[in-house]
Amino acid sequence: MKICILPGDGIGPEIVAEAVRVLRVLRALQLDCELEEGLLGGCAVDATGEPYPEATQRLAQQADAVLLGAVGGPQWDSLPRAQRPERGLLGIRQQLGLFANLRPAILYPELAGASTLKPEVVAGLDMLIVRELTGDIYFGQPRGIETRVVDGRPQRFAFNTMHYSEDEIRRILRVAFAAARKRRRKLCSVDKMNVLETTQLWRDVANETAAEYPDVELSHLLVDNAAMQLVRNPSQFDVLVTGNMFGDILSDEAAMLTGSIGMLPSASLDANNKGLYEPCHGSAPDIAGRGVANPLATILSAAMMLRYTFAQEDAARRIEDAVRKVLADGYRTADIYQPGTRKVGTRAMGDAVLAALTGVKE
Ligand code: IPM
Ligand code: MG
């Protein structure tokens, strides 16, 4: 198993280091994996001038899976768009054909009080957002900012293009239906068909694809209503499937229901289960380098890697059980801290997970 490790920027290196320790412990326990590290994002721009340099492209293409921290930071925000760290992330997703982004949002009962929503509203939350990741307005051409004559005078004019082919829609719908089949067999497809043709096609293809999965109950929501339902009654959802932009927005919203975006892992898969695994949160430049970031989303992303790319369900479960145990034992990083629990930093949280994994008492 070849794993490419891309720590990235901000808190990326700190949180990835803890996930790597987890993988090394599992390796010591017979998991055969080879880790190789590369540069992606702002750190890559600083070293090579490119957010997704050739050397990293080679590593990522040769690996079976990629573990990523996070990219970006204010020091790179004024660079030309093609050199921004986010381009590196979009570039690797596109180059590897990682069209299926899985973002589970699970409420760990111990963290019910850490959510900004009332505990009774978020109780029992266990949903999976399936976001299309290589199409939509994020990649559509033409795009740009230029000067045009509008209302009789030259002014800056900006435009993006939203588009989907039916094949692109069908393949992500199939991933979502298949995922629902392994869960509670409910799939909610989210669109804006009352306004956008792209999403009218999305709804039509969703309805057509439903015929292949008669055992899964398909429903539809308009995205504005979906955003509202997520905070009104989130446990109505099992699997939610949507396009790239709506999925970006709704997955951050769903993350917050669980108490902290610092808890949420993600998988981005191609058609053969090669995957890139990353926490849903960003590079958090404000707390970078201070050793206080929550490494659990990245550790849980490593668990998703073992499950989806390497079909090592047992090893994935071991990691997830270890995370449950440290939460039950009261360990909390600052983002999920509540009075009465034990506040720890990034490394100590990693230590606790390792101890839980190996069964060794601290
Ligand atoms: C995410 C992020 C990225 C996205 C950014 C950093 C380009 O917000 O993974 O959700 O929009 O996809
Ligand atoms: Mg996002």
Side-chain angles (χ1 to χ4, degrees):
M1 304 176 359
K2 261 199 177 157
I3 305 174
C4 167
I5 307 284
L6 303 175
D9 309 316
I11 58 170
E14 300 161 56
I15 54 178
V16 165
E18 300 311 315
V20 165
R21 288 169 77 207
V22 166
L23 288 172
R24 292 223 164 97
V25 161
L26 290 174
R27 185 165 65 187
L29 302 170
Q30 307 302 307
L31 189 86
D32 178 22
C33 65
E34 194 183 305
L35 312 179
E36 270 193 283
E37 204 171 303
L39 296 174
L40 182 83
C43 58
V45 172
D46 290 347
T48 71
E50 304 278 337
Y52 183 33
E54 286 232 2
T56 308
Q57 296 184 26
R58 261 198 312 277
L59 269 186
Q61 282 170 320
Q62 284 161 10
D64 302 303
V66 179
L67 182 68
L68 169 69
V71 299
Q75 65 269 53
W76 300 290
D77 278 350
S78 51
L79 286 173
R81 208 155 269 279
Q83 280 169 31
R84 290 199 200 155
E86 292 77 8
R87 272 284 132 200
L89 183 56
L90 295 175
I92 192 171
R93 288 173 179 170
Q94 190 176 40
Q95 185 186 61
L96 300 182
L98 307 172
F99 68 92
N101 183 217
L102 312 183
R103 299 188 162 183
I106 295 170
L107 182 82
Y108 292 90
E110 294 85 3
L111 299 185
S115 174
T116 46
L117 269 74
K118 294 190 193 111
E120 64 268 28
V121 173
V122 289
L125 175 75
D126 176 0
M127 69 179 294
L128 174 68
I129 296 191
V130 178
R131 168 188 175 195
E132 199 288 329
L133 203 61
T134 52
D136 203 352
I137 196 166
Y138 285 22
F139 292 93
Q141 296 288 348
R143 62 192 296 159
I145 303 178
E146 49 193 50
T147 301
R148 286 188 187 176
V149 177
V150 182
D151 293 334
R153 61 193 171 81
Q155 36 175 312
R156 281 168 301 167
F157 182 87
F159 53 100
N160 290 91
T161 308
M162 185 176 217
H163 60 61
Y164 267 123
S165 70
E166 60 177 302
D167 282 359
E168 283 177 306
I169 300 171
R170 201 172 291 112
R171 67 179 181 177
I172 190 72
L173 257 302
R174 285 187 175 140
V175 169
F177 272 110
R181 204 167 241 180
K182 290 193 186 154
R183 297 170 46 103
R184 302 193 299 277
R185 295 169 188 261
K186 276 173 59 183
L187 177 62
C188 178
S189 170
V190 172
D191 61 45
K192 187 68 185 171
M193 61 80 89
N194 54 347
V195 180
L196 301 171
E197 286 79 0
T198 322
T199 70
Q200 174 66 59
L201 180 62
W202 183 283
R203 185 169 294 208
D204 294 346
V205 173
N207 282 327
E208 292 157 22
T209 312
E212 298 168 27
Y213 303 85
D215 52 325
V216 176
E217 179 197 323
L218 173 69
S219 60
H220 304 274
L221 278 182
L222 296 173
V223 63
D224 45 355
N225 189 11
M228 183 175 74
Q229 296 299 331
L230 269 176
V231 286
R232 193 184 74 87
N233 175 19
S235 38
Q236 69 184 284
F237 294 107
D238 179 18
V239 180
L240 187 157
V241 63
T242 191
N244 201 344
M245 179 162 65
F246 298 160
D248 185 20
I249 299 165
L250 294 180
S251 59
D252 267 30
E253 189 187 359
M256 214 45 231
L257 305 174
T258 68
S260 171
I261 196 167
M263 292 299 301
L264 293 201
S266 80
S268 306
L269 305 175
D270 76 359
N272 306 309
N273 287 335
K274 173 166 178 165
L276 179 142
Y277 297 84
E278 57 177 323
C280 285
H281 60 71
S283 58
D286 52 322
I287 57 164
R290 291 180 23 210
V292 298
N294 186 346
L296 293 179
T298 316
I299 290 172
L300 291 166
S301 298
M304 287 187 91
M305 170 189 292
L306 295 174
R307 169 170 300 124
Y308 288 106
T309 294
F310 299 119
Q312 301 266 352
E313 180 63 29
D314 285 356
R317 285 258 166 89
R318 283 184 73 162
I319 297 178
E320 289 162 353
D321 289 346
V323 168
R324 280 179 207 279
K325 174 155 195 321
V326 301
L327 292 175
D329 288 348
Y331 292 95
R332 301 285 189 274
T333 40
D335 56 314
I336 49 177
Y337 174 75
Q338 287 180 292
T341 59
R342 285 201 241 180
K343 196 189 240 175
V344 292
T346 312
R347 177 45 56 107
M349 186 58 109
D351 288 342
V353 173
L354 292 182
L357 258 181
T358 53
V360 174
K361 286 229 161 60
E362 343 75 280

